[in-house]
Amino acid sequence: MSKESYYVPDDLKKFGNIGEFQPNLAKKFFDYYGEVFTEGALTAREKSLIALGVSHAIQCPYCIDAYTTDTLEKGVTEAGLMEAVHVAAAIRGGASLVHSVQLMNKVKELGM
Amino acid sequence: MKSLKSRGSELVSPERQFQILKEVFIRKNLPSFSEKLIQSGLSALTPAPTKILQMNLGKLCNQTCKHCHVDAGPDRKESMSRETMLHCLSVLAASPISIVDITGGAPEMNPDFRWLVVELRKLDKKVMVRCNLTILLAGDRYKDLPEFFAKNQLEIVSSLPYFEKRRTDSQRGEGVFDRSIEALKRLNAIGYGIPDSGLTLNLVYNPAGAFLPAGQAALEHEFKKSLLKEYGIRFNYLFTITNMPISRYLEYLQESGNLESYLEKLVNFYNPSAVLGVMCKNTLSIGYDGSIYDCDFNQMLEMNVEGGVQNIRDYDADVLEARKIRINEHCYGCTAGAGSSCGGVTT
Ligand code: SF4
Ligand code: SF4
């Protein structure tokens, strides 16, 4: 396997460095990010599971890596981790399928 | 699985273990533990008056868990003699140390275990036993242990790495989960872990893999909910403990390719406020041969305490309290995140 790839696992640790080129916006983002994940109406564990699901929906390998570790650390079972991914997949699949109503509307509009 | 010792593994040597850790620290340009203490405004680790005497009764165990920092197992023969126990008892009789934490291996396998417990109770010390649960099902010799524990008002501290079979068995061995559940039911049946019974049953969680434990309170909630729902089991508190990068867990880290990232994680999560609660501050750890150590981990790394008193038969509280605690890179395991000690988080 080639060692070269657009995705480098070590780059996850360098996420904080995005402030190098635009410190103000990076700071605002990380403050916001930190605030989002603090315990609130949802527990930190619930938020981490949502993040795991979303990371699969948006297919970000860095987030998948980070939130698989984080949910494991928070004591979620393997089955729980996988269910979060199925929730993401169901919403993704459902979101495509529900647009087929538009397709059907158009078919009916164009048809005799 | 056999112990590192009977497999002749190079990891039996503490020097080799330190060397392995050091190589990663150099390669990854990580600060040593002592540098990190200084950077965070803390200098040497010094002890407070000793509150807990932890007695390691030997390395013999009926299990061979993958993460075991003692490298215990059925093939280990080291065992504390009654003579060494008598030295501990005479120190305790004349000392304000109020808690005795009995550990092993499986301490119940030491032939003088019950005798020791009875003698300790005569001294009116609070006695804790690190019971691995499956020992309660290991034959006729052990089957009345729950009643013995209850009669002597022992506090039980038991590892259950997870509330599910898969992760528990992967760390502690095939079938351990089912037997642990059966043992927990027996302990519950005589009152252990039941509110207001006065019989305390605490569980210990340590991650089954190369990750850190998180939120003790949240995890305790999950454990309680799940064990009660699935098996009708109750317990008092859950202690979350970080796996130390030594001995068999070090071997696992190496073999699974997780060593570098785990050590980096421990260093990155170093938490200065966790330092104050580490077990070496108020505990002395006694090896099976009476040697004195700052903690159970230093014991397994053969780092005897600094100073003139090296064995329990020469015990001198003033000399010991004036010592400096011996540290090395494994100490990051106690000070990452919320901290880790034999009583759970330290912050
Ligand atoms: S972790 Fe405990 S139960 Fe497992 S082998 Fe070591 S001493 Fe025995
Ligand atoms: S390993 Fe932990 S308990 Fe032992 S000396 Fe280091 S900090 Fe203290």
Side-chain angles (χ1 to χ4, degrees), chain A residues 13 69 73 75-78, chain B residues 162 166-167 212 214 264-265:
Chain A
K13 286 181 226 141
T69 311
E73 291 187 340
V76 182
T77 61
E78 280 82 345
Chain B
Y162 206 50
R166 189 172 170 275
R167 239 186 262 178
L212 299 183
E264 271 185 298
K265 190 157 197 172

Side-chain angles (χ1 to χ4, degrees), chain B residues 45 244 278-280 294-295 297-298 325-326 330-331 334:
Chain B
L45 267 181
M244 296 298 268
V278 288
M279 67 179 283
C280 51
D294 301 300
C295 71
F297 308 114
N298 286 6
I325 292 165
R326 294 187 66 188
H330 64 290
C331 295
C334 294

